[in-house]
Amino acid sequence: MNTPIKFTTAEEAVKVIKSGDHVHLSSVASAPQCLIKAMCARGEAGELKNVHVHHLHTEGPAPYADPKFEGVFQLDSLFVGANVRKVTQSGYADYIPIFLSETQKLYRSGAVPCNVAMIQVCPPDKHGYVSLGTSVDATLAAIECADHVIAVVNKYVPRAFGQAMIPLSKIDLFVQDDQPLVEAKFSEPSDVEKAIGAHCAELIEDGATLQMGIGAIPNAVLAQLGNHKNLGIHTEMFADGVLPLVRKGVINGEAKKTDPGKMVSTFLMGSQEVYNFIDDNPGVLMMDVGYTNDPYVISQNDRFVAINSAIQVDLTGQVCADSIGTKFWSGVGGQVDFVYGASLSKGGKAIIAMPSITTKGVSKIAPVLDTGAGVVTTRNHIHWLVTENGAVDLYGKTLQERARLVISIAHPSAQEELDRAAFERFGSHHHYIKGYMQK
């Protein structure tokens, strides 16, 4: 089982890529930068054309998306991160709208080919297994379907358990490159974000299972949960905010029905402390995204709470988390997977949380969504909506009732205009004016 690995160089390894191939890159902190650099060098040398690149969000450089590679590399991402957003907006790259839970299905169904999977793994253990570390997501499916799998063996990739563990036999070519994983830093929550976090925390019961992603609002929620008991984690991703609650014993997974006692995720992004936390930790399972984001699996946990963000919400409860006008945002992600799963859970709560106005003072609650805005969570799926001004449950409410509730947590500076818009939309045939227009 301790057969030595035969390493090659990144430059030699990427020679398996042919013109017209589809290449998958492992995501987030685990993008294999030395292979990306070598692949792009082949492109600059005129050795490749029409190579399709696929990945979820990645941290670090994405040189294959540079306009100079038009006709050489075509980025068709499954989620658009900040490093490729500008080129996607300008038309030099594209993306495939897809629920996060189904990204793996693209490969397994053959809807998207995978000729070459380029991944990062930890050094092998004595049993001949390596770990995908922080990035399982759709990468496991890509490995299963690829004609060639190139793995960067990196001592900084944590040895994570669950479906992250794969045998060496799944890999065709090995490259060694000990480059520290990219770390993500998050600012302290603002007063508005703290208020949103407090409203969300009030909706979370002891014994709940949580999904809340990363960023200022999730961290603000987690900071409010120090006195809770027996919380669990089943999520697409988590970051540093969960660690104090794990150390305190608040997050222990004891009430979970799926994977009790375990934290479940499909990819991670955070500080080195997070990467150290999952290394050799049997309490964390890094799983295929088809499992973590399956609404049925999610719903098996009672009191499941899913907290997701939004760019804009209209008076009927339509949630845009994809784009506004012609400004491309990021993609659908896992919001619908978890909104639906939490809604099916016994005692579950699906929460959309956002500030009531943008940093430029524009209301994020609008009469109608902006032209071109992508409806991610439909008015049929939305339940709880939270801003710094409160929390309202829209489930089972009529359009007029929804409008009143949504306006009640809008920014005060926007409420009069929203009142007027709601009256024009709903008040001509009904008595909408009762409650808002009689101010």
Side-chain angles (χ1 to χ4, degrees), residues 131-317:
S131 176
L132 296 170
T134 61
S135 176
V136 179
D137 45 75
T139 297
L140 184 61
I143 292 168
E144 293 171 2
C145 300
D147 301 320
H148 304 281
V149 178
I150 310 172
V152 175
V153 179
N154 184 345
K155 69 179 182 181
Y156 292 104
V157 172
R159 184 172 177 265
F161 294 115
Q163 290 174 298
M165 298 294 287
I166 61 172
L168 288 171
S169 59
K170 295 286 186 183
I171 300 167
D172 301 300
L173 294 162
F174 296 89
V175 174
Q176 188 160 22
D177 183 44
D178 292 328
Q179 181 174 320
L181 301 186
V182 176
E183 297 183 63
K185 306 294 184 182
F186 305 101
S187 59
E188 286 296 313
S190 65
D191 289 342
V192 167
E193 290 159 342
K194 289 178 181 177
I196 294 170
H199 292 310
C200 290
E202 289 177 0
L203 299 175
I204 298 172
E205 304 173 53
D206 289 344
T209 298
L210 308 179
Q211 174 263 335
M212 58 180 61
I214 62 173
I217 290 177
N219 285 343
V221 176
L222 291 164
Q224 302 278 343
L225 300 179
N227 293 322
H228 279 62
K229 298 177 181 178
N230 300 328
L231 299 180
I233 297 291
H234 182 109
T235 185
E236 61 200 24
M237 63 191 304
F238 66 81
D240 296 63
V242 304
L243 300 185
L245 296 178
V246 174
R247 288 192 287 264
K248 193 175 180 181
V250 172
I251 293 177
N252 57 29
E254 290 184 5
K256 293 177 66 182
K257 292 186 177 179
T258 63
D259 309 300
K262 309 287 187 181
M263 296 173 61
V264 175
S265 185
T266 194
F267 58 89
L268 299 176
M269 183 170 67
S271 71
Q272 186 62 45
E273 187 178 5
V274 172
Y275 307 149
N276 292 341
F277 171 72
I278 71 166
D279 184 47
D280 253 342
N281 186 348
V284 179
L285 300 179
M286 296 299 295
M287 304 294 284
D288 183 270
V289 72
Y291 178 79
T292 60
N293 286 53
D294 183 335
Y296 174 78
V297 174
I298 294 164
S299 71
Q300 298 309 294
N301 294 290
D302 295 344
R303 301 177 297 279
F304 196 102
V305 177
I307 302 175
N308 289 276
S309 62
I311 301 169
Q312 192 179 49
V313 176
D314 75 5
L315 292 177
T316 71

